[in-house]
Amino acid sequence: MHRHLSLAKLKNGDEAIIAHVLGEGAFRHRLTEMGFVRGKKVKVIKNAPFQDPVEYEIMGYKVSLRHSEAELIQVVPLAPHLEEKLQRLQQFRDFFLPEDENRQEEIAGEVADQCPQRNDDEGAREHGKTIHVALVGNPNSGKTTLFNHASGSHERVGNYGGVTVDVKEATMKKDGYTFKLFDLPGTYSITEYTPEELYVRQHLLEQKPDIVINVVDASNLERNLYLTTQLIDMDVKVVIALNMYDELTAKGATFDYQALGEMIGIPIIPTVASHGKGINELLEKIIDVYEDRDPTVRKIHINYGTEDTVEDAHYGFIAGALKETYQEPEVNPEDNKVRELDDVLTHRVLGFPIFLFFMWLMFQATFSLGQYPMDWIESGVGMLSDWVGTIMSEGALRDLLVDGIIAGVGSVIVFLPNILILFFFISLMEDTGYMARAAFMMDKLMHKIGLHGKSFIPLVMGFGCNVPAVMATRTLENRKDRILTMLITPFMSCSARLPVYLLIVSAFFTAHQGLVLFSVYLAGILMAILVAIVLSKTVFAKKEVPFVMELPPYRIPTLRNTTVHMWHKGQQYLTKMGTIILVASILIWGLSYFPQNEEPITTIATNEVTMSSQDVELLQQAKQEEHSYIGQLGHFIEPVLLPLGFDWKMGVSIIAGMGAKEIVVSTMGILYQADVNADEASDALIAELQQQNYTPVVAYGFMLFVLIYFPCIAVIAAIKKEAGWSWAIFTMVYTTCLAWVVAFLVNQLTPLFT
Ligand code: GDP
Ligand code: MG
């Protein structure tokens, strides 16, 4: 009998050979596609700061597993001493497929066992000279980078598994051919266990691309080629982009990719997508293959042997093919430096302070550094509205332009610098590979509240904007984790809520403004934790999938990628502003402009004998607002808001804020602004607010209400898209009810502060 141990029993630095993977279905499958198969060597690298999960090295890459999952992997430990090690190697040589000479012959036979070249020119006739190309590959293999370079489009790129959460399409021309490129989500295999896999599978089967570009990470061939073997099994024309070829050569490995290409009947083109190298050659090769003039292309049939070992056998084939073509380097001196860096970044004690420091730095830069361009934009908007005010004659159109459009959109455009800086940092964290380490460190904590280490990424992104955050939940494999993360993401105070907080804090809190602001953010996080615990114990009390997460190698990001990503986000924000917010601003303005108050000014002013003409105008405007449709709406819901200490104007702002939370500010601007110069808009608004009888307690309750209630239309749309109508409706209702309860409770504290 072999002496088997569970992988979880090993200590840091220990090595072992995998003997058997217990467990069934999705669990087993997930481990297999990541390379945890019989006969493979696995090494324990380190525990996360809270001991769980654990980082392992397998097939030359890093992956993290929870203890509970490592328990299910049976291994034969390798003794530390070389002699003993060799002895054991011999003892268990049946685990080493490539060492097995019979197996090698078998592989040679398999390779010889090929079908004739596929004759399929139906596609050519159907599309004319348009080539439909789909990019398929592991997460982080560089698909999006390649896609961007090939198409010149600015898609978002990141060094984190699953950043591509949707399909991107681009059209480009080359040598008289039109290329229709599709950037598909990253997958480790093409089965039906995750939405990404299902998506890729459906795209290949239903859209029938003419050519599939299989993007293979050259620094991690063994695992990447697993997907390739599945593509071979499907009836598709493949060209391999051997990406990250720079890393392979830097490492000192030698790889006869041409020989491998001939062996498997797929042309292989080395590329360095991040520098645009090899892309031209790749596109030329695609044309050749499309026109059936490439001699390499032929259909091979891989014999995987008996049925019960079919998954493992893919790796057997790969190992055999690589044995003949790929030569590992001796030792890489760079490895030590990277390991030292990683040891510090995920250190038991230092890891968290470093992480918090990065978070602090990110927020500091976003909000302090962002202040300068913000001021410039603010004065620019002021100048514009002054100018428009002087060149246009009085009337509804001028009011619409100045008070509706410029004031409304202007109060939003000032946040563009913050958005750009925030996304610059998030993109930097993703591109360097640090984001995955953060998830690795956070898993234990996240697990405690029923979430997944990966949930952490959408939650952090939520501070920027909840919409991409909700979309980023797709990186979670399990529906339960996805929906749970989606439901609590809106409690992360997005940048659109910040203007509301800034306004209220400036108006009602003279001391400790920073602390008050911080407490609102913290309240959101606490709310998220609370809701997550409650939901994971009730609605989502179900078994979970294994936490198998790739830890991509640390990479120095290219400025191009990071800035492209940043601009992309900025663009999204501006588009959102240009559409939803513009429409909402006009709507709100219209609702408060009509119907016009018919009551003559003199009637209003007669009672107040000492009024100046300016005051009369102010009062008239206030009367107009109250008389208008929006005022009526605010009055209508006032009874519900009264227990919270809110009045109808706050009610109006809350209703308007459902479109997007920034609109709460622009609505207040319109409701309270009365007679102020636009270049002093925010100061004047603060002054106006201070005139009202709101107490700081009510003001605080209002901030919490804005934080918690109905996220915004765009978020609801995103949730609907990801999880369906029922969860979208659930989110609308439960957040609004929760907001009411919280603001009500806060209002009960009023006596304590008076
Ligand atoms: P995807 O998940 O497959 O879409 O991968 P991405 O396109 O987001 O790329 C992941 C990371 O790899 C990014 O940080 C890229 O800058 C980097 N990258 C992409 N191609 C190359 C390459 O050829 N060489 C190197 N060294 N890095 C690359
Ligand atoms: Mg991508």
Side-chain angles (χ1 to χ4, degrees), residues 46 49 337-355 358 434 437 441 554:
K46 67 155 89 76
K337 270 195 252 165
V338 174
R339 195 172 323 123
E340 278 165 22
L341 173 77
D342 186 60
D343 282 348
V344 175
L345 290 180
T346 59
H347 189 268
R348 225 157 34 88
V349 184
L350 297 176
F352 276 102
I354 292 174
F355 175 60
F358 281 142
Y434 183 66
R437 268 71 188 187
M441 288 194 284
Y554 287 98

Side-chain angles (χ1 to χ4, degrees), residues 137-148 156-164 183-186 215 242-247 271-277 427 430-433 555-558 561:
N138 282 193
N140 281 313
S141 54
K143 291 178 301 303
T144 304
T145 315
L146 204 148
F147 176 86
N148 287 346
R156 169 183 179 187
V157 192
N159 191 15
Y160 179 76
V163 162
T164 304
D183 182 19
L184 300 186
V215 183
L242 185 64
N243 198 36
M244 317 250 174
Y245 196 67
D246 54 330
E247 292 194 354
T271 57
V272 183
S274 49
H275 291 96
K277 280 194 207 150
S427 144
E430 283 176 342
D431 286 353
T432 50
R555 290 200 174 95
I556 296 169
T558 62
N561 277 345

Side-chain angles (χ1 to χ4, degrees), residues 158-180:
N159 191 15
Y160 179 76
V163 162
T164 304
V165 290
D166 211 342
V167 177
K168 275 89 190 182
E169 193 189 326
T171 310
M172 39 138 332
K173 286 197 169 27
K174 185 181 160 53
D175 299 346
Y177 290 85
T178 306
F179 283 76
K180 235 179 161 180

Side-chain angles (χ1 to χ4, degrees), residues 528-540:
I529 292 175
L530 219 72
V531 171
I533 291 176
V534 170
L535 289 180
S536 68
K537 292 251 157 69
T538 54
V539 190
F540 297 104

